[in-house]
Amino acid sequence: MKALLDFVPLIIFFYLYKTVDPKDTEHPLLQLIGSAGGIDNNNILVATTGLIISMLVVYGALFFIQKFRLDKQQWIVLFMTVIFGGVTLMLSDDFYIRLKAVLLNIVFAGAFLLSPYFMKDKKPLIQRLFGPIFNLTEQGWKNLNFAWAGMFIFMSCLHIFFAFLFLGGKYWGEFTAFGDMIVMFSFIIIQFIVLRKYFKSPEE
């Protein structure tokens, strides 16, 4: 249930991005926040407004469901969405919301790379996540940790490509809504296939 809630803001973002006229400066969500809109990017401004509002509602619900707490990852996603989305709306410039996913994936990559040095137990972050599933050597966990950091860096590069380089960002909305999910799920499936020999037995 909680995992499904995380996708609600992205679905709302994509729906508004695809259905709102880029030249519509009178959209109710723009009027709600007192924005005059932009020239030809109002679909992004409206979608960003919907994303921020829906994330505040969803993460507010998760805050209560999770007994008045959010995971660090959830705080980071919420904080960066509100900050970069807010700047986007204040300046009517979609550059900043496009930049958000680029930086967010870099932050996650940095978290994996730095985790062995700053965690109390000095274990890689990936070992804390998949320790109950895999039985790996110390070097194996380090390699898997590097692989996850590399995956996030790769996703950051993909966001740069679709947001700023490929066809003027024509398919940026589609990749933002679904790209991370597809890349991550594909990576996880490949990970399980490659590491299938290292699954822990039920007794373990």
Side-chain angles (χ1 to χ4, degrees):
M1 178 64 179
K2 291 188 290 184
L4 292 176
L5 284 176
D6 281 332
F7 292 113
V8 171
L10 287 176
I11 294 171
I12 292 174
F13 172 87
F14 182 71
Y15 172 78
L16 293 172
Y17 174 79
K18 296 299 289 185
T19 58
V20 173
D21 185 347
K23 298 186 182 296
D24 181 9
T25 59
E26 304 298 325
H27 193 278
L29 282 179
L30 292 179
Q31 294 180 348
L32 176 66
I33 62 173
S35 172
I39 298 174
D40 58 358
N41 65 345
N42 291 297
N43 58 330
I44 298 178
L45 300 183
V46 171
T48 300
T49 304
L51 177 67
I52 293 174
I53 293 174
S54 59
M55 285 199 72
L56 289 173
V57 172
V58 167
Y59 279 48
L62 287 173
F63 183 73
F64 286 100
I65 292 172
Q66 296 172 174
K67 299 180 180 179
F68 303 102
R69 61 179 295 275
L70 291 176
D71 298 334
K72 290 180 181 179
Q73 175 187 344
Q74 292 171 327
W75 280 116
I76 293 172
V77 172
L78 179 61
F79 176 78
M80 294 192 72
T81 299
V82 171
I83 294 299
F84 284 90
V87 173
T88 294
L89 296 176
M90 284 189 292
L91 301 179
S92 295
D93 187 346
D94 54 86
F95 169 82
Y96 299 96
I97 195 65
R98 292 174 185 263
L99 185 64
K100 184 211 74 172
V102 175
L103 297 180
L104 185 60
N105 280 290
I106 290 176
V107 168
F108 286 148
F112 277 93
L113 290 174
L114 297 176
S115 59
Y117 305 101
F118 291 96
M119 291 288 189
K120 291 182 179 180
D121 54 9
K122 302 299 181 181
K123 291 181 179 179
L125 179 57
I126 199 64
Q127 187 172 356
R128 298 171 66 90
L129 297 175
F130 287 102
I133 300 175
F134 295 120
N135 187 13
L136 301 177
T137 64
E138 182 177 345
Q139 186 60 47
W141 285 118
K142 288 181 180 179
N143 292 341
L144 186 59
N145 200 61
F146 280 126
W148 272 81
M151 186 270 295
F152 281 113
I153 292 173
F154 176 65
M155 283 207 292
S156 182
C157 292
L158 286 176
H159 277 288
I160 293 174
F161 177 72
F162 282 102
F164 303 109
L165 302 178
F166 184 61
L167 297 178
K170 182 179 180 180
Y171 296 104
W172 166 74
E174 286 83 348
F175 184 77
T176 297
F178 304 108
D180 279 6
M181 181 170 50
I182 293 173
V183 173
M184 182 173 292
F185 283 170
S186 299
F187 181 81
I188 291 174
I189 291 172
I190 293 171
Q191 169 189 277
F192 283 150
I193 293 173
V194 172
L195 299 178
R196 63 186 183 279
K197 297 186 299 183
Y198 301 96
F199 277 110
K200 286 186 175 180
S201 63
E203 291 77 13
E204 293 178 287

